[in-house]
Amino acid sequence: MPAQNRFSPTLADVRETDKPEPASVDSSTVSLMPPIDLAAVRPRFPALAGPQAYLDGPGGSQVPDVVGRAMTGYLYGHNANLGGVFPTSRSSEDLMVGARRAAADLVGGSPEEIAFGPNMSTLNFMLAHAVARTLEPGDEIVTTVLDHDANISPWLRIADDHGLFVRTVPVTDPDLTIDLAALEASLSRRTRIVAFTLASNAVGTVTAARRIADLAHDAGALAWADAVHFAPHRRIDVRKLGVDVLLCSPYKFFGPHMGIAWACRQLLASWPADRVRPADEIPPGHRFELGTQSHEAIAGFVAAVDYLASLGSGLDRATRLDSAFARIQMHEEDLARRFLIGLEDVPGVHLHGIADPERVGERTPTFCVTLDAHDPRAVAERLAERDINVWDGNYYAPDLMTHLGLEGHGGAVRIGFLHYTSPDEVDRVLTALRSVTGRLGAR
């Protein structure tokens, strides 16, 4: 019999009141979908008109024109705080209501389960501190080596503050996937949170989210998911994933800098929230939103979701997002195969993570590479000279870099593709890597 969870309400109560899982996109329909039309997509992104190849998407994507227009349109025509009786205040309230609907369509939850904030890290720290007040000394939290530190440090902080224990699950080599056997062995009757990523921002691994969530629930714990890197690449559906909390960042999926948190409504209602006394906890407000939000950023977020939906087809936004992400995944898998096959001809390169071109469905098109005797920062600088933007360092995944033996040694080079990336840009970075390996100095 599964362990009883001490949270109020119980996880069984929460799951019992969940909506039915929405239907997935039929595989035969996906195979008939037209591919992403880059000739139509790329002109919608003003930054792509220049010479630069933006392969830095894992750190932040470019934005389509509609996002910029929505943000300036709000500031010039609707700018006001909430709660007034005058037109701009009422239109700002309408914006917030519509934004919660857009976020619910994006992640598969309900509008009242959505909270906005400045970024994922801030929201995660805030929610972690709220949950900590419901825990007891000796309770346990499980994290993984694969995670971004934004889903590790909050748990280390509250563990110090509340006498909790944090267990860290390793990854398997060489694919760098979460070790599910080790995860299962780490769970106990005192486990309260299992915090994990849906996809690694460092090496691109897509995790077995439903399996992890089920293991957490069987132990009586909450499944707490970081969807920041996953969100621009795959369709999110919190019901199918089986998670209890999910966080993401619109600036990674073609929107402005801000954060979004989803959690099932019963849990949100049960956790103590830090709030000023006059704040209204009834929608369209939210008890985990502190102070005035960036309304212009939220307007841009809605535009970003509508942009994504425009890549698909269907009668409603959620259905259009289903087909849009199916098309996005097909395009990105083609790019990933092209890159992995081409990388075999780059001398002295080492790819960290899933390298088999036939397994691109198990990863995002984000690649972590090192080159023999070459400093990652120097490689990134040489690529920048060729108008190719990539990241170097640890990408806020220090535990994974320590596992790889790269922390403290410059980390690695990270190359990331998005749906607006062209095959020519994949070839450009491969050619550039071949070129620079012969002229860079050793570490």
Side-chain angles (χ1 to χ4, degrees), residues 92-319:
S92 294
E93 290 189 4
D94 290 342
L95 166 67
M96 295 300 293
V97 171
R100 293 189 208 285
R101 292 195 189 106
D105 285 343
L106 181 72
V107 305
S110 299
E112 64 270 23
E113 298 172 321
I114 301 295
F116 297 116
N119 49 63
M120 177 272 192
S121 297
T122 299
L123 285 167
N124 210 27
F125 269 101
M126 182 172 62
L127 290 173
H129 280 292
V131 170
R133 294 176 182 145
T134 71
L135 304 181
E136 296 177 354
D139 283 347
E140 298 172 356
I141 298 161
V142 174
T143 65
T144 88
V145 167
L146 197 63
D147 274 72
H148 188 289
D149 208 54
N151 208 19
I152 297 176
S153 281
W155 307 114
L156 297 175
R157 177 73 271 163
I158 68 167
D160 285 344
D161 291 345
H162 295 269
L164 312 175
F165 292 98
V166 177
R167 303 183 185 276
T168 304
V169 175
V171 292
T172 61
D173 290 315
D175 290 344
L176 304 179
T177 60
I178 293 174
D179 187 331
L180 294 178
L183 169 62
E184 190 166 9
S186 73
L187 301 173
S188 78
R189 62 182 181 82
R190 298 301 301 270
T191 306
R192 302 295 175 238
I193 305 287
V194 176
F196 67 100
T197 185
L198 299 187
S200 167
N201 76 305
V203 297
T205 307
V206 174
T207 61
R210 184 71 203 210
R211 175 62 175 153
I212 295 169
D214 287 346
L215 288 171
H217 292 158
D218 288 345
L222 298 178
W224 199 287
D226 170 4
V228 172
H229 184 67
F230 188 86
H233 303 291
R234 303 288 174 87
R235 183 72 164 112
I236 298 173
D237 188 330
V238 293
R239 313 298 176 185
K240 290 183 177 181
L241 293 169
V243 297
D244 303 289
V245 178
L246 180 140
L247 302 102
C248 58
S249 301
Y251 73 97
K252 299 297 179 73
F253 55 86
F254 323 109
H257 287 85
M258 57 176 288
I260 298 171
W262 169 89
C264 56
R265 65 177 72 85
Q266 293 92 339
L267 293 173
L268 289 171
S270 71
W271 295 335
D274 292 319
R275 297 180 66 78
V276 295
R277 288 176 297 171
D280 187 359
E281 296 195 13
I282 301 172
H286 194 287
R287 62 196 309 264
F288 284 99
E289 290 175 354
L290 300 185
T292 301
Q293 299 297 305
S294 173
H295 298 159
E296 62 273 22
I298 289 169
F301 156 71
V302 175
V305 174
D306 286 338
Y307 161 74
L308 283 166
S310 76
L311 301 178
S313 58
L315 297 178
D316 58 65
R317 181 164 54 197
T319 304

Side-chain angles (χ1 to χ4, degrees), residues 45-48 52 54-57 60-64 67 250-255 307 389 418-420:
F45 289 80
L48 303 187
Q52 290 180 315
Y54 290 92
L55 308 186
D56 57 334
S61 62
Q62 299 305 305
V63 300
V67 169
Y251 73 97
K252 299 297 179 73
F253 55 86
F254 323 109
Y307 161 74
N389 298 353
L418 289 165
H419 76 279
Y420 54 57

